[in-house]
Amino acid sequence: MLLEPLYEQDFMDCSYGFRPGRSAHQALEAIWAQTMRMGGGWVLDVDIRQYFDTLDHACLREILDKRMRDGVLRRLIGKWLKAGVLDQGCITHPETGTPQGGVISPMLANIYLHEALDVWFAKEVQPRLRGQAFLVRYADDFVMGFAREEDARRILEVLPKRFEKFGLKIHSDKTRLVEFRKPKEPRDPGGGPGNFDFLGFTHYWGKSQKGAWVVKRKTSKKRFSRAIKAMGDWLRKNRHSRLPEQHKTLRQKLIGHYNYYGITGNFKAIASFFHWVRSLWKKWLGRRSQKAVLSWEAMARVLERLPLPPPRMKKPKRRPLAAT
């Protein structure tokens, strides 16, 4: 409560995670607007290796010294960092990182990357680039977009060195530079448009209803598979619960899924998720007993009495973004 108003004055527009009045959907809309404005380009999709576990306490103290001198608050933060983590009955006291799940961890993570990444990108990187560029960060997940390939490759080369100063490492296998240029008519033989994942969505180029090339988003394959597996595991464990209880929870899970993934252009994915959930419910209801197999006719009667919410879209609230 004390740190938030202090640092909100400093945090930049490119940061969206764990901040008041900001959300993952706004981060997604920022990427959409920036890539559309540039007509595509090159996207640097970066993965920080075990960010919350490797955050350096000494570097963090130096960063906090620049903005905060209150000894009581500093000692309280130190206690949070040294509190230890209880895992399967064993308490560990790591010398680096912030405890995941700790109430102070999201704020400290934002403060750390604000200094290590956001300020550096705005004040040192962008003025030296030859073309347009942008950064969108949600906690420790971020992407950089560049209009020119040479700019993107320069940053890909220097970014690991920058992070080393703060005790951070980039996951080389998961970090990639994606050619995300707007397709041409006829298709550019020099390279086609790629795609990248961010916050559970795959971003790709597709045709609009009017025939224009636009950036589209769909649920990433990894997130879709994970959601289906989680739903199947829950239904298996709760297959003997009363039908109204199952129905109530399934409604909540589906509505939550629609609220996050139901963005423009992603109806096909959430409709597929709805059909998967309906099929999984039938499967596990049919295994409540070994005497008979639940037919689709019988399942239809269940769904008539206890209907599941159909797929629905959430219209994005797009706001003008400052030019970069």
Side-chain angles (χ1 to χ4, degrees):
M1 292 171 64
L2 293 172
L3 289 175
E4 187 175 279
L6 180 67
Y7 279 97
E8 275 297 319
Q9 303 175 57
D10 300 335
F11 287 161
M12 297 184 170
D13 284 341
C14 63
S15 171
Y16 291 86
F18 307 113
R19 294 183 59 190
R22 289 178 166 245
S23 67
H25 283 152
Q26 289 179 345
L28 291 166
E29 288 303 311
I31 291 178
W32 184 90
Q34 300 278 21
T35 50
M36 286 294 295
R37 181 180 296 146
M38 292 195 314
W42 296 79
V43 172
L44 185 55
D45 183 9
V46 183
D47 183 271
I48 304 177
R49 188 189 296 271
Q50 297 179 323
Y51 172 64
F52 283 92
D53 296 331
T54 58
L55 191 147
D56 187 89
H57 291 179
C59 287
L60 177 60
R61 284 193 290 268
E62 292 179 6
I63 294 171
L64 292 173
D65 282 340
K66 297 179 181 180
R67 201 70 172 84
M68 183 178 59
R69 298 286 183 176
D70 189 303
V72 174
L73 189 55
R74 292 293 300 275
R75 286 193 295 273
L76 181 59
I77 292 174
K79 290 180 180 179
W80 255 313
L81 294 175
K82 298 176 182 178
V85 178
L86 180 64
D87 184 17
Q88 297 181 352
C90 297
I91 298 179
T92 58
H93 296 272
E95 296 182 0
T96 59
T98 61
Q100 295 196 39
V103 294
I104 197 67
S105 295
M107 173 60 70
L108 294 181
N110 265 341
I111 293 172
Y112 204 81
L113 277 181
H114 168 74
E115 184 73 21
L117 179 64
D118 302 352
V119 174
W120 172 73
F121 185 82
K123 295 185 177 181
E124 297 186 33
V125 172
Q126 283 186 310
R128 292 176 169 83
L129 299 179
R130 299 182 63 185
Q132 298 180 58
F134 69 86
L135 165 68
V136 175
R137 180 174 67 83
Y138 190 91
D140 62 321
D141 293 329
F142 67 93
V143 295
M144 296 176 175
F146 303 89
R148 302 175 69 97
E149 180 183 2
E150 57 265 35
D151 288 339
R153 295 198 178 278
R154 284 173 58 197
I155 301 307
L156 179 60
E157 182 179 352
V158 302
L159 188 61
K161 301 175 184 177
R162 171 66 181 180
F163 277 0
E164 282 180 7
K165 296 180 180 179
F166 294 84
L168 302 175
K169 293 183 179 181
I170 288 179
H171 203 302
S172 58
D173 294 336
K174 296 182 180 179
T175 297
R176 62 194 188 109
L177 182 60
V178 180
E179 183 182 3
F180 199 67
R181 292 184 300 164
K182 184 178 181 179
K184 297 181 180 180
E185 299 285 3
R187 182 169 175 172
D188 182 3
N195 57 64
F196 64 94
D197 291 349
F198 186 65
L199 297 180
F201 289 90
T202 297
H203 296 67
Y204 66 101
W205 285 99
K207 285 290 187 74
S208 68
Q209 293 182 348
K210 296 182 179 180
W213 286 107
V214 295
V215 177
K216 293 188 174 184
R217 289 81 54 90
K218 61 182 178 181
T219 310
S220 69
K221 292 181 179 180
K222 184 183 295 185
R223 287 291 186 92
F224 187 86
S225 299
R226 187 191 305 172
I228 293 295
K229 184 179 184 304
M231 189 67 78
D233 291 343
W234 184 87
L235 286 167
R236 175 178 56 82
K237 294 176 182 178
N238 294 273
R239 63 185 181 276
H240 295 298
S241 300
R242 296 176 61 249
L243 278 179
E245 295 175 359
Q246 292 187 32
H247 175 252
K248 179 181 178 180
T249 303
L250 285 175
R251 279 185 54 86
Q252 294 171 343
K253 289 179 178 292
L254 279 169
I255 291 173
H257 188 88
Y258 300 157
N259 285 342
Y260 186 75
Y261 289 103
I263 65 174
T264 302
N266 198 36
F267 183 82
K268 183 178 179 179
I270 64 171
S272 178
F273 183 76
F274 168 76
H275 292 301
W276 267 101
V277 170
R278 191 174 59 174
S279 298
L280 287 169
W281 197 18
K282 172 186 175 296
K283 170 185 173 180
W284 290 109
L285 286 180
R287 297 190 180 185
R288 285 158 67 104
S289 172
Q290 297 180 352
K291 296 181 180 178
V293 176
L294 185 68
S295 65
W296 272 111
E297 289 77 10
M299 188 63 195
R301 291 192 292 270
V302 173
L303 291 171
E304 184 178 356
R305 182 164 56 93
L306 300 170
L308 295 175
R312 67 183 188 189
M313 306 298 291
K314 181 178 180 180
K315 189 174 182 180
K317 296 180 181 179
R318 287 176 180 154
R319 57 188 180 91
L321 295 172
T324 57

